[in-house]
Amino acid sequence: MNGNEIRRADQAGRLSGRVALVTGAAHNIGASIALRLAEEGAAVAVVDIDSVGAKDLCQRIVDAGGQAFPAAGDLTDIKDVDRLFSEVETALGTVDVLVNNAYTRVSESCFQPFLGVAPEHWQRFISANTTMFFACSQRMARRLASEGRPGSIVNISSHGAARAHREQIPYDAVKGAMESFTRAVAVDLAPWGIRANAIRPGSINVEDGRMDWNSGDLQHAQIPLGRQGTPQDVANAVLFLSSNEADYVTGQVFNIDGGMAAQARAPQVEPHAPAGPETFTQFSETLLGE
């Protein structure tokens, strides 16, 4: 995204008048989400443990004519979450769009075969990560309910909630909990007009290369649309779920994955070679008589 695309205050956008808080927003997917929401008129609270990165992103938004506020805090501490929201409310107003994007690895010891995961590391990981999306969602929802205002919660999940990663059991467990939490919160908060949905990104090519596959053949095999996703692809979905266009959408999980979840198996293991654009002419002549 070009920062010059961010709308100025006098331009109407799909989120004009809204205040959005994005956690883990200084880099990668979180940064793209913050920029996209700002582009459509939202005042954005950029929350990240990297305070320098958060300030830099806010400056980009402000320089382009948007409104942003950098905030840092311990999202695993419910009292600190309350303080953080109070600061954001003073600076920008009541938060009515929350994007729970942040998660913390806590301990690398969790990322190994199941039999090697120490119970104390498991407990820290699960507690820290589930507390973040619980505490932020509850703090936002209580304020909105007290003011009689609707809102939107968007949780950034993972394919790991439905299909296992090897040697990432705590991570997959947290994302599964996040999706169950999303559905339960959506039902509980519906009387107040507060919606909750989740997004499952597929393989997203981020700047630090953590999900950048080296094999083009593998990428094509796993993704029917034939390319990795970008942070912007995820941000566009968040924008939709945050806007009035999704007013009748709640309790849902959206796969933003180029068709990965829809595909039963990779083309290489199909009993015959799947058809593609390169075989269209042949199929047309054979099946359609052209």
Side-chain angles (χ1 to χ4, degrees):
M1 171 180 290
N2 184 332
N4 293 328
E5 296 174 1
I6 295 174
R7 296 174 187 268
R8 296 187 178 276
D10 59 349
Q11 295 178 303
R14 291 153 76 183
L15 297 182
S16 292
R18 307 279 182 88
V19 175
L21 188 152
V22 184
T23 68
H27 305 283
N28 298 324
I29 291 174
S32 285
I33 292 170
L35 287 166
R36 190 72 179 97
L37 301 186
E39 179 189 5
E40 288 294 334
V44 180
V46 177
V47 178
D48 202 286
I49 193 171
D50 177 3
S51 59
V52 174
K55 289 177 181 177
D56 288 346
L57 183 63
C58 285
Q59 194 60 53
R60 286 180 60 189
I61 293 172
V62 171
D63 287 347
Q67 188 176 6
F69 177 76
D74 182 0
L75 299 181
T76 70
D77 182 336
I78 293 177
K79 291 183 179 179
D80 208 32
V81 167
D82 188 61
R83 175 199 59 78
L84 185 150
F85 267 78
S86 295
E87 289 183 0
V88 171
E89 289 162 353
T90 298
L92 302 177
T94 299
V95 175
D96 46 18
V97 173
L98 170 64
V99 183
N100 286 310
N101 173 66
Y103 100 100
T104 176
R105 294 181 76 88
V106 182
S107 172
E108 294 297 326
S109 299
C110 284
F111 293 84
Q112 57 181 300
F114 174 62
L115 297 180
V117 177
E120 61 270 23
H121 293 155
W122 163 271
Q123 190 170 28
R124 286 178 58 205
F125 189 95
I126 298 296
S127 176
N129 282 285
T130 56
T131 294
M132 286 197 292
F133 60 76
F134 166 83
C136 290
S137 299
Q138 188 180 69
R139 177 59 174 78
M140 171 210 182
R142 283 179 168 173
R143 178 64 179 264
L144 290 177
S146 70
E147 296 182 2
R149 298 175 56 180
S152 172
I153 299 168
V154 182
N155 295 318
I156 306 302
S157 183
S158 163
H159 271 184
R163 301 190 305 174
H165 294 103
R166 288 179 176 82
E167 301 183 8
Q168 295 190 41
I169 288 172
Y171 177 82
D172 287 356
V174 163
K175 294 304 184 180
M178 174 180 269
E179 292 189 8
S180 293
F181 174 84
T182 300
R183 289 185 289 270
V185 165
V187 172
D188 268 18
L189 295 180
W192 287 271
I194 301 170
R195 301 178 294 104
N197 295 284
I199 288 174
R200 284 183 196 156
S203 174
I204 305 299
N205 195 350
V206 298
E207 65 189 42
D208 63 12
R210 283 176 299 146
M211 299 180 70
D212 188 8
W213 295 353
N214 294 320
S215 170
D217 291 339
L218 178 60
Q219 175 178 316
H220 178 78
Q222 296 294 327
I223 307 173
L225 286 183
R227 70 168 176 87
Q228 280 185 287
T230 67
Q232 186 74 9
D233 292 322
V234 180
N236 287 336
V238 172
L239 171 62
F240 166 69
L241 292 173
S242 303
S243 73
N244 291 340
E245 296 164 17
D247 271 356
Y248 201 55
V249 180
T250 196
Q252 304 304 307
V253 178
F254 291 80
N255 290 300
I256 308 300
D257 64 358
M260 287 180 69
Q263 179 172 261
R265 55 195 176 206
Q268 285 89 335
V269 296
E270 292 288 356
H272 58 78
E278 68 281 356
T279 58
F280 177 74
T281 301
Q282 176 185 350
F283 271 77
S284 296
E285 294 173 350
T286 305
L287 300 179
L288 302 179
E290 296 180 0

